[in-house]
Amino acid sequence: MFRTDFAAVTSDYFPTALDAADIPLPTDRQYDGIRPLPLIAGKATERGSPIGFHCNGMEAWTGSRYKIVRTIKAKKKASSQWELYDLIDDPFEETDLASKY
């Protein structure tokens, strides 16, 4: 079993499977996912690009350290305000840094 400290998403499955099979990604389109095998092998330490999410009335972008998020669905206390969290210093997302930064 592998354990990583970086975020991954289902869009990483396709590039990862091809990478594991030593098959190059087709070049006729762009891919949201990354090939995390260098991260798993310890040859890299961070995801190169952030991950965007939109699910159940929430929007978020998260990278290696920071995450911005907002609720867009009324029944979940919709807000147009983004919240910012430092996932390293505050992994439980208790301190919103948006007004500071």
Side-chain angles (χ1 to χ4, degrees), residues 21-59:
D22 201 25
I23 299 171
L25 279 172
T27 58
D28 63 341
R29 68 195 80 172
Q30 289 186 294
Y31 299 92
D32 292 332
I34 64 162
R35 299 165 38 183
L37 292 184
L39 293 161
I40 293 168
K43 296 178 181 174
T45 58
E46 292 186 1
R47 182 182 185 93
S49 58
I51 304 169
F53 295 94
H54 178 91
C55 182
N56 294 325
M58 302 287 287
E59 293 180 326

Side-chain angles (χ1 to χ4, degrees), residues 67-86:
K67 176 182 176 182
I68 58 171
V69 63
R70 73 176 172 176
T71 304
I72 57 172
K73 201 172 198 178
K75 71 180 186 179
K76 293 185 179 233
K77 301 177 187 171
S79 171
S80 61
Q81 297 291 325
W82 288 94
E83 300 169 20
L84 173 67
Y85 298 99
D86 183 329

Side-chain angles (χ1 to χ4, degrees), residues 82-85 90 93-100:
W82 288 94
E83 300 169 20
L84 173 67
Y85 298 99
D90 181 20
E93 301 176 19
E94 297 175 325
T95 305
D96 180 4
L97 302 172
S99 63
K100 184 176 179 181

